[in-house]
Amino acid sequence: MPRVLLVEDEPAIADTLVYALETECFEVRHALTGAEALAAAARETFDFAILDIGLPDMTGLDVCRRLRENSVIPVLFLTARAGEVDRILGLELGGDDYVTKPFSPREIVARVRAILRRSQPSPTPQAEPIVGEGKVLHHDSAAMRVHCHGEPLDLTAHEYKLLLVLLGRPGRVFTRDQLLEYAWQDPGAVTDRTIDAHVKSIRAKLRAVRVGAEDLIQTRRGLGYLLASEI
Ligand code: CA
């Protein structure tokens, strides 16, 4: 049973969501504030988080940032204002989605299912490189997708650009500043931590295909990241 962390301070909205999710066989932990949610996340594991943006003590975006320090948990944001959507899109933390209020509980359940499906490991991962290609990673430039062992990776735009930079020069170390410069149009808006969060997310997506294999993206402590040269 997938476990959902729901953070919503309006009881009426929370109640309908809890009911809808539980009816669809999700186990729901409801928190009224960001602090309560973070405390729950520190104690328990969740497969998914639904975060209201407007919370009494912090924003849902803050909650997301804090959750992402320790996990790659997929997030669905609930937002009441169009202005908030820009901020969510600006985050680009990977695999996430948002819905604007008012919404139907049914819609939420459908989105949660879709995101969980995307973030789940492939049931039949291939352990060997693609025969004929001789490569673990393959870039389809026309489709703007990167395949790993033949499986297309579901990357966000920034994850895709970041991976492309590394893919362009396997074995070469890129500093976080270089990665920001090459993969972000407006690097002023983001920090070194953004790179770390994206690398973490790409690694998780690669791991889902390459179960048990070594990370393709290697960390060179104090310097930056590189892609294993034997890709
Ligand atoms: Ca609210």
Side-chain angles (χ1 to χ4, degrees):
M1 209 187 258
R3 304 199 69 224
V4 178
L5 175 63
L6 167 67
V7 194
E8 168 62 69
D9 59 318
E10 286 169 67
I13 294 177
D15 286 350
T16 46
L17 280 182
V18 169
Y19 178 77
L21 287 161
E22 286 183 348
T23 307
E24 295 291 321
C25 293
F26 288 94
E27 191 184 330
V28 186
R29 172 77 165 79
H30 172 221
L32 287 162
T33 63
E36 194 190 327
L38 292 171
R43 286 191 309 267
E44 306 160 44
T45 6
F46 296 97
D47 302 299
F48 200 91
I50 300 177
L51 308 176
D52 180 29
I53 301 281
L55 295 168
D57 55 342
M58 59 181 87
T59 72
L61 301 172
D62 296 328
V63 177
C64 176
R65 259 181 233 112
R66 297 276 299 277
L67 289 175
R68 285 282 162 72
E69 287 172 7
N70 304 305
S71 76
V72 286
I73 187 168
V75 171
L76 179 69
F77 291 104
L78 309 178
T79 168
R81 285 176 290 139
E84 291 173 343
V85 172
D86 294 336
R87 292 171 60 201
I88 297 168
L89 296 178
L91 272 184
E92 269 250 47
L93 279 165
D96 306 326
D97 202 354
Y98 68 92
V99 284
T100 45
K101 295 176 180 179
F103 48 73
S104 77
R106 196 182 287 239
E107 184 187 357
I108 301 286
V109 172
R111 295 285 188 101
V112 171
R113 283 205 188 289
I115 299 171
L116 278 177
R117 242 195 328 271
R118 284 209 302 264
S119 62
Q120 242 141 44
S122 148
T124 52
Q126 291 168 280
E128 296 305 313
I130 308 166
V131 180
E133 295 261 22
K135 281 183 177 175
V136 178
L137 293 179
H138 169 74
H139 178 219
D140 180 350
S141 55
M144 296 181 87
R145 294 206 85 141
V146 177
H147 296 248
C148 179
H149 294 302
E151 296 271 335
L153 296 172
D154 189 13
L155 302 171
T156 66
H158 281 140
E159 288 166 5
Y160 168 74
K161 288 182 202 163
L162 202 159
L163 186 53
L164 268 201
V165 175
L166 296 171
L167 201 51
R169 295 280 300 278
R172 183 202 144 152
V173 176
F174 289 89
T175 66
R176 288 175 177 78
D177 281 345
Q178 286 170 332
L179 292 171
L180 279 176
E181 190 179 305
Y182 298 150
W184 266 258
Q185 248 97 54
D186 176 22
V190 288
T191 66
D192 288 0
R193 291 198 58 113
T194 311
I195 292 289
D196 296 351
H198 281 76
V199 166
K200 200 168 160 183
S201 173
I202 299 169
R203 276 177 170 154
K205 290 172 184 180
L206 288 169
R207 256 202 310 277
V209 181
R210 294 162 48 78
V211 177
E214 240 169 53
D215 274 333
L216 288 177
I217 302 178
Q218 301 167 354
T219 306
R220 194 58 59 80
R221 210 161 282 284
L223 293 173
Y225 294 104
L226 72 154
L227 197 66
S229 44
E230 60 279 3
I231 54 129

